[in-house]
Amino acid sequence: MVFFTAASKSDFQQQLCTALAAHVSEQVMPQLALFAEQFFGIVALEELTQRRLSDLVGSTLSAWRLLQRFDPAQPQVHVFNPDYEKHGWQSTHAAVEILHPDIPFLVDSVRMELSRRGYSIHTLQNSVFKVRRNAKGELQELFPRGSDQPDAKLEALMFLEIDRCASTAAQHNLEKAMHEVLGDVRLAVADFEAIKHKAHSLLDG
């Protein structure tokens, strides 16, 4: 069932921003609009129009709040069954939010672990944000894609909807599994240059 209509992605963004404006101040809205544009950048319009606009607003605000404060040494993983009373939006699926410094192999590793555990993926959004934070990890500014900001950091934010988790324990177990997988990815990426150097040394020998 189609819950709202939009003639184009720009039309969708305009409708979304109008709805988001009811939840934040005028000062915050320009940055939130830029966030929303990047957050839904790779999602097809046909997929978006299969979801309620109110639920898209809720998931956007949830991801935006996740971005507000972040310690790169402590990647964030949240798994929950969206409930309107508790989260301000709802879904028949479970939501997975992941915020991590941008490194290779994140998306594929997450997808493989979910598949290994028998979860089907119904929605996958992956955006790399260019941000500036203060010493406390608080978001100072979000930049447009392609902007030249030497002091900015790249952070990957993944949002997935998967088969609904049967219990709070299942949600916690999945969060733990995601943290373990992401830790393995960080180790592999950190060792890559050393492994490559060793391989070249062996070839030279």
Side-chain angles (χ1 to χ4, degrees), residues 140-158:
Q140 297 295 288
E141 190 170 2
L142 171 66
F143 299 103
R145 285 198 177 101
S147 60
D148 185 16
Q149 301 292 337
D151 61 334
K153 303 296 184 183
L154 296 178
E155 297 174 357
L157 194 157
M158 281 177 274

Side-chain angles (χ1 to χ4, degrees), residues 49-205:
T49 53
Q50 297 301 315
R51 298 161 67 184
R52 293 184 182 89
L53 183 60
S54 58
D55 293 339
L56 292 168
V57 169
S59 62
T60 302
L61 291 171
S62 178
W64 172 247
R65 286 191 290 267
L66 185 66
L67 196 68
Q68 295 310 295
R69 188 163 186 165
F70 180 54
D71 179 359
Q74 298 179 328
Q76 297 293 309
V77 180
H78 295 156
V79 179
F80 58 99
N81 292 330
D83 175 77
Y84 187 80
E85 295 298 325
K86 186 175 182 180
H87 304 105
W89 64 289
Q90 59 190 8
S91 174
T92 57
H93 306 133
V96 181
E97 297 174 333
I98 298 173
L99 183 59
H100 196 286
D102 183 42
I103 59 175
F105 314 125
L106 290 176
V107 175
D108 286 343
S109 299
V110 167
R111 290 174 61 181
M112 289 170 60
E113 181 63 16
L114 289 170
S115 177
R116 189 181 74 82
R117 289 177 171 270
Y119 288 100
S120 296
I121 298 174
H122 304 279
T123 296
L124 171 58
Q125 295 168 224
N126 175 56
S127 301
V128 177
F129 295 97
K130 184 175 289 187
V131 304
R132 179 186 292 135
R133 297 186 181 278
N134 63 19
K136 296 180 180 179
E138 297 167 338
L139 180 66
Q140 297 295 288
E141 190 170 2
L142 171 66
F143 299 103
R145 285 198 177 101
S147 60
D148 185 16
Q149 301 292 337
D151 61 334
K153 303 296 184 183
L154 296 178
E155 297 174 357
L157 194 157
M158 281 177 274
F159 172 80
L160 305 96
E161 289 193 23
I162 63 173
D163 295 338
R164 200 166 180 86
C165 292
S167 64
T168 302
Q171 296 170 26
H172 291 163
N173 288 338
L174 186 54
E175 286 180 351
K176 181 180 178 182
M178 290 291 102
H179 276 296
E180 291 174 351
V181 167
L182 294 171
D184 291 342
V185 174
R186 290 193 297 276
L187 285 175
V189 171
D191 285 346
F192 178 72
E193 289 300 328
I195 293 172
K196 185 170 69 173
H197 178 73
K198 181 64 174 180
H200 282 304
S201 297
L202 291 172
L203 288 171
D204 292 340

